Amino acid sequence: MKALGSLAKDTAIYGLSSIIARFINYLLVPIQTARFAASGGEYGVITNVYAYVSLFIILLTYGMETTFFRFMSKEGENPTKVYSTALTMVAFTSLLSSFLVLTFIHPIASAVGYAHHPEYIGVMFVTVAIDAFTAIPFAYLRYQHKPVRFASLKILNILLNITLNILYLIVLPALRLNPFGIYDDQFTLDVAFVFYINIFCTIATLLLLWREWGTAGFAFDGKVCRRMLSYTWPLLVMGLAGQLNQAASQILFPYLYEGSQQEALSQLGIYGACIKIAMIMVMITQAFRFAYEPFVFGKSKDKDNRETYAQVMKYYVIFTLLAFLVVIGYLDVLKYIIDESYWEGLRVVPIVMAAEIMFGVFFNLSFWYKLTDRTIWGAYLSGIGAVVLIIIDILLIPRFSYMACAWAGFAAYGTSMLISYFIGQRHYLIAYPIRQIAVYVVLAALLYAAMHYANSGLPMWVAIIVNTLLIMVFVAYIVRRDMPLGSLPVIGKYFKH
């Protein structure tokens, strides 16, 4: 329980910072969706470009974060050499790839549909290259158990981003000013500056991390490099395949949608805006991952490690299901995060959130092949999921538009999760409390059905009251079954009797 308490503490810090950061970042959504109406397709451009970005960041970090944690805690390895070698490797590949992309920027931009705006691709790729490099110092902060500094830098980056977005998209247009030239009402200028703001904030974060990377040195050990590459290349394949499960739909959509390019971008923008509401699940999964990865590798030598992993899985499912119900219960309020012209896409929210829960379970399960150094299985499993997603996209996007994207992600994560569980139990047996988890899943499904009826058939404020009571039913079951109030820290003493 002490280990779980430590994990809970770090997850709380990462989680709180992630929630704060995401909440601040959410402010970009109403700003950008209000500035760019759904019919114009401008937000579709942002959604599409950031889908490419999510793949580039996986490519340029090539699993080095997980590899870093594995080798920093591995017997016989020198942590100083591991850190400096990882830093040097990612710095070199980031610089080389940036040089190649900028050299061939025009054919690359044409290939992805932005022949008239190569600056979109150039600026965002350099941004990703810098982000890939800073991923190693951020991993080092996690290794040192410095979640406060980690969180502070992440939040500061987003605060700067939101401030500059407000300045450029709201204040300056209201004053009809453009510090870079004559004011231009065309959306292409606005979209470009969304990307320019991003690279500025990324460079600022790089400079603030000077203490972590500037004093670490760039010493390189060839033997360590070869061992790390041998471990990490399957993680690269796994990461790309896994990210395809999130990004492929947004990348493929303009090519598969049966309509004009403008209409395709408009529909993609609706999907991209609505899944922002579902990102509460991404926050929880991300916060959990930041804390859980170093926790798992650090606890791998303990005798009770498998029992702990099983309990962590149960509590992860419990609290992600609770988050799911909270978002669905208050969706009529949360929808105001985005402009009204995007509301027609709100039906994707529960599907995307359920898919993210399964992704989190898949991440929990993934440690059977990481701890046994069978990382190639990660590539296989994520690859299978990516194939499922792409097939569904190709078959269904022409007919069902962005709803096909939501269901494709659901099917992909579900497939990877189930296969990983059954194969993992053969190689690294963990007695997960499946029956207990299943009860929570069934209860959440029943409560969701009731909420769906309330949201569609009752006045908004009546539905919110009903949904609040339904959420309390779920919380009451948690307290009664797995988390009695007397066991809680600080306030638990008031419920002992």
Side-chain angles (χ1 to χ4, degrees), residues 12-247:
I13 297 175
Y14 287 124
L16 181 60
S17 65
S18 181
I19 290 171
I20 293 172
R22 288 280 181 175
F23 176 76
I24 298 170
N25 204 29
Y26 269 150
L27 296 178
L28 290 174
V29 180
I31 293 168
Q32 293 175 352
T33 57
R35 178 69 175 169
F36 310 129
S39 59
E42 298 94 331
Y43 199 75
V45 173
I46 295 174
T47 300
N48 184 244
V49 170
Y50 278 106
Y52 284 106
V53 165
S54 67
L55 288 178
F56 289 155
I57 191 66
I58 298 295
L59 183 66
L60 293 183
T61 53
Y62 46 94
M64 195 52 64
E65 288 176 278
T66 298
T67 303
F68 170 83
F69 287 117
R70 176 59 173 161
F71 278 74
M72 291 292 276
S73 60
K74 197 171 186 179
E75 290 185 9
E77 297 290 352
N78 184 323
T80 302
K81 286 185 178 181
V82 169
Y83 180 39
S84 60
T85 299
L87 204 60
T88 303
M89 291 165 63
V90 177
F92 174 76
T93 51
S94 295
L95 287 171
L96 177 62
S97 58
S98 296
F99 172 77
L100 292 174
V101 168
L102 294 176
T103 300
F104 301 102
I105 186 64
H106 291 287
I108 292 173
S110 297
V112 297
Y114 295 104
H116 299 296
H117 297 285
E119 68 275 13
Y120 294 176
I121 305 303
V123 169
M124 289 312 298
F125 192 89
V126 174
T127 302
V128 171
I130 298 172
D131 278 336
F133 174 74
T134 58
I136 304 304
F138 272 122
Y140 186 63
L141 286 175
R142 290 161 58 196
Y143 170 77
Q144 291 185 309
H145 297 288
K146 293 183 177 179
V148 174
R149 176 160 169 77
F150 177 98
S152 299
L153 291 173
K154 291 287 187 180
I155 292 174
L156 184 61
N157 175 283
I158 295 173
L159 281 172
L160 182 60
N161 198 323
I162 190 69
T163 300
L164 293 177
N165 268 269
I166 291 173
L167 178 65
Y168 192 79
L169 297 181
I170 296 179
V171 177
L172 293 181
L175 299 175
R176 300 192 65 78
L177 295 175
N178 183 356
F180 305 101
I182 299 173
Y183 180 80
D184 191 341
D185 286 317
Q186 295 185 9
F187 83 87
T188 51
L189 178 63
D190 291 336
V191 170
F193 269 86
V194 168
F195 303 143
Y196 294 147
I197 288 169
N198 203 324
I199 193 171
F200 177 83
C201 296
T202 299
I203 293 172
T205 301
L206 172 67
L207 296 177
L208 290 171
L209 279 167
W210 166 257
R211 194 190 328 171
E212 281 69 34
W213 65 266
T215 58
F218 290 89
F220 180 77
D221 188 305
K223 293 181 179 179
V224 174
C225 172
R226 286 191 291 273
R227 289 196 295 271
M228 294 180 77
L229 287 176
S230 177
Y231 182 88
T232 201
W233 76 262
L235 295 177
L236 168 61
V237 178
M238 178 187 68
L240 286 173
Q243 192 58 44
L244 276 173
N245 292 337
Q246 295 186 345

Side-chain angles (χ1 to χ4, degrees), residues 394-405:
I394 292 173
L395 293 177
L396 300 184
I397 283 178
R399 183 175 179 182
F400 297 105
S401 186
Y402 53 77
M403 288 303 297
C405 301

Side-chain angles (χ1 to χ4, degrees), residues 390-420:
I390 291 171
I391 290 174
I392 293 176
D393 278 342
I394 292 173
L395 293 177
L396 300 184
I397 283 178
R399 183 175 179 182
F400 297 105
S401 186
Y402 53 77
M403 288 303 297
C405 301
W407 282 114
F410 182 94
Y413 287 142
T415 301
S416 297
M417 176 188 70
L418 291 174
I419 296 175
S420 180

Side-chain angles (χ1 to χ4, degrees), residues 292-312:
Y292 194 45
E293 200 160 47
F295 169 82
V296 167
F297 287 121
K299 192 172 176 58
S300 60
K301 301 182 185 70
D302 293 354
K303 292 181 179 180
D304 65 340
N305 59 348
R306 301 191 192 205
E307 181 182 346
T308 301
Y309 300 156
Q311 290 300 307
V312 168

